[in-house]
Amino acid sequence: MFFMKSSIRLGALMLAVLVVTIGALFIVSNAEARAAVEENDERYFLTRVVLYHAVSDTILSDDDALYTSPTEFENQMRALKDAGYTTVFADEYGRYTEKTVAVTFDDGYENVYTEAFPILKKYGIKATVFLITSERPNHLTDAEIHEMVDSGLVLFASHTVNHPDMTTLTYDEMIEELKTSKEDVERVSGQKVTCFAYPHGAYNDDVIRAVKECGYKFAYKTDMDKGDIFSIPRIIIWRATTTEMFAESLK
């Protein structure tokens, strides 16, 4: 009996040591990742980030170049899977894993639910949707957002309340847009919001300072110039982007 109790205690102790060790490794890994970001370590930029807006054959705005056809979108998602890419959420960026892609959508058009979401589910693709939180026609409803969250495949993040050019606002106005949209997205999605995408890709030092002040950990832009954790590059996918062009852009 004494031997059995000693063995149980030893097993529990070994398990506790293992848990602590794994936790320590995870903390070190995160610390290394953040340090690498600040140093512009090349490994940090192994993850490619693609940016979509609308997925539809029905054009609802003057900017038809931002409307990817559902057929082409599916071809591109299939190409990701066939090429062996792993998809990650926007808050998982910078884990140093080769062949990782973050699929992102700006604005929150309803066709992301009606057209893109079934394709994401079909291929098991993770995606992040940067939401504008003011009331807008043809944008995602609360019920659609809830269903997408429940799938485990979609992360929601902030794209401001009113989609302004942030560089034209006062600092207080920046804070209001950032805080309110963060609260809005967290309320409707039930997810913690740590990621932000600059409307129109516009930012400056003051905008970045406001983003940090409001508790965001990652911020995404709309060009491919290498930045840092608050100016993460993205590849815009246009209506004219073919599957071949898409695949080439990820290399």
Side-chain angles (χ1 to χ4, degrees), residues 187-204:
R187 185 187 67 255
V188 71
S189 70
Q191 299 171 320
K192 184 173 177 58
V193 172
T194 61
C195 302
F196 177 73
Y198 300 108
H200 315 288
Y203 66 97
N204 56 26

Side-chain angles (χ1 to χ4, degrees), residues 36-224:
V37 172
E38 299 304 322
E39 296 170 6
N40 273 341
D41 189 315
E42 288 292 338
R43 294 174 299 168
Y44 181 75
F45 297 96
L46 288 175
T47 298
R48 294 290 183 263
V49 187
V50 292
L51 165 57
Y52 294 92
H53 286 81
V55 179
S56 178
D57 284 325
T58 302
I59 310 300
L60 298 175
S61 76
D62 294 334
D63 204 348
D64 62 342
L66 296 179
Y67 280 71
T68 301
S69 78
T71 299
E72 190 56 57
F73 180 74
E74 178 163 9
N75 289 341
Q76 292 168 8
M77 295 303 99
R78 185 189 301 116
L80 279 182
K81 298 298 287 188
D82 290 348
Y85 284 95
T86 297
T87 53
V88 298
F89 292 131
D91 64 358
E92 298 176 301
Y93 184 81
R95 299 288 179 88
Y96 299 165
T97 306
E98 292 192 60
K99 299 198 79 169
T100 55
V101 175
V103 176
T104 68
F105 296 87
D106 277 7
D107 302 336
Y109 290 104
E110 190 170 28
N111 52 51
V112 174
Y113 171 80
T114 58
E115 301 289 351
F117 184 45
I119 295 168
L120 296 175
K121 289 191 293 183
K122 180 177 179 178
Y123 295 99
I125 301 288
K126 286 183 176 182
T128 300
V129 180
F130 291 100
L131 285 175
I132 301 170
T133 62
S134 56
E135 290 274 343
R136 290 173 180 243
N138 304 309
H139 278 61
L140 291 166
T141 67
D142 288 3
E144 290 164 348
I145 290 170
H146 295 160
E147 184 180 339
M148 295 169 82
V149 168
D150 289 345
S151 75
L153 291 173
V154 183
L155 176 73
F156 287 92
S158 171
H159 200 40
T160 71
V161 177
N162 300 300
H163 202 254
D165 178 337
M166 295 286 283
T167 64
T168 67
L169 305 183
T170 67
Y171 193 75
D172 286 345
E173 289 170 339
M174 293 178 197
I175 294 294
E176 181 65 22
E177 284 282 347
L178 291 162
K179 279 189 173 180
T180 303
S181 62
K182 189 175 191 293
E183 292 167 357
D184 289 345
V185 177
E186 288 182 338
R187 185 187 67 255
V188 71
S189 70
Q191 299 171 320
K192 184 173 177 58
V193 172
T194 61
C195 302
F196 177 73
Y198 300 108
H200 315 288
Y203 66 97
N204 56 26
D205 289 344
D206 283 341
V207 176
I208 292 174
R209 181 161 62 93
V211 167
K212 293 178 180 179
E213 183 177 327
C214 291
Y216 294 94
K217 305 300 181 186
F218 304 88
Y220 286 79
K221 56 182 182 174
T222 58
D223 63 61
M224 278 301 293

